[in-house]
Amino acid sequence: MSNSILPADIAELAARVVAENREAGRMVATAESCTGGLVAGAITEIAGSSAVLDRGFVTYSNEAKMESLGVSQDIIETFGAVSIACVWAMATGALERSKADVAVAISGVAGPGGGTQLKPVGTVVFARAFRNQDGEPEGELKHFDGGDGPDGRARIRHQATICALELLLP
């Protein structure tokens, strides 16, 4: 019997996130949309995670992104919630509203519906922001395959959770 309710690959990566950030003396925050708290949930599955996770924001709606993280309505109207601009604003908003040293943000189209020609199902964007670091925003757009099958939504959210956890490694 497993000691985790999570799939092994996510549990193992979350354990690394906790151990390596604890060793680095870093606190983390998450700002999640399509993953719905899976990243923060994976971290809290690990004993000792309170030394690393400051807080997680689940901002599924556009209103939540604006109210909880300070994402401007202009960003959402101009670029959409599934955009580098939006996740960068989510990540910086999470830092501003926490005591974390690093924040990761995720937004995407997990499906099975909701995709467009420009942003098909499986499109997920990520951003990582560091406290007191100048420079260009770190953001990435990925497309995860498998959104058409019966377990497509779960597969996309699984892959997005893995990617976000990797971004939290020092």
Side-chain angles (χ1 to χ4, degrees):
M1 178 156 173
S2 173
N3 291 331
S4 177
I5 62 170
L6 301 171
D9 56 347
I10 290 177
E12 290 167 13
L13 188 52
R16 281 188 57 207
V17 167
V18 171
E20 292 179 25
N21 280 288
R22 182 177 346 155
E23 186 176 313
R26 279 191 346 179
M27 294 292 288
V28 303
T30 63
E32 302 181 62
S33 187
C34 68
T35 49
L38 290 173
V39 179
I43 294 169
T44 61
E45 184 74 5
I46 307 305
S49 59
S50 61
V52 170
L53 181 66
D54 180 60
R55 66 194 74 196
F57 299 88
V58 177
T59 55
Y60 205 71
S61 70
N62 291 342
E63 292 77 18
K65 290 171 182 64
M66 292 185 287
E67 292 170 9
S68 297
L69 297 171
V71 177
S72 77
Q73 186 170 352
D74 287 345
I75 286 176
I76 291 174
E77 288 176 357
T78 303
F79 303 104
V82 181
S83 67
I84 298 293
C86 183
V87 290
W88 175 247
M90 289 169 65
T92 57
L95 279 182
E96 291 167 359
R97 290 157 176 80
S98 73
K99 298 189 183 329
D101 302 297
V102 61
V104 67
I106 312 101
S107 186
V109 185
T116 66
Q117 188 171 5
L118 291 176
K119 296 175 187 174
V121 170
T123 303
V124 183
V125 288
F126 302 87
R128 177 175 55 188
F130 295 93
R131 184 169 304 286
N132 302 324
Q133 183 175 354
D134 295 328
E136 293 296 311
E138 289 187 47
E140 184 173 7
L141 183 146
K142 291 188 175 242
H143 183 80
F144 299 117
D145 292 326
D148 299 329
D151 63 345
R153 181 177 179 82
R155 289 175 53 182
I156 290 166
R157 294 176 78 222
H158 182 110
Q159 293 173 85
T161 300
I162 293 283
C163 185
L165 286 167
E166 288 172 345
L167 288 171
L168 288 172
L169 291 170

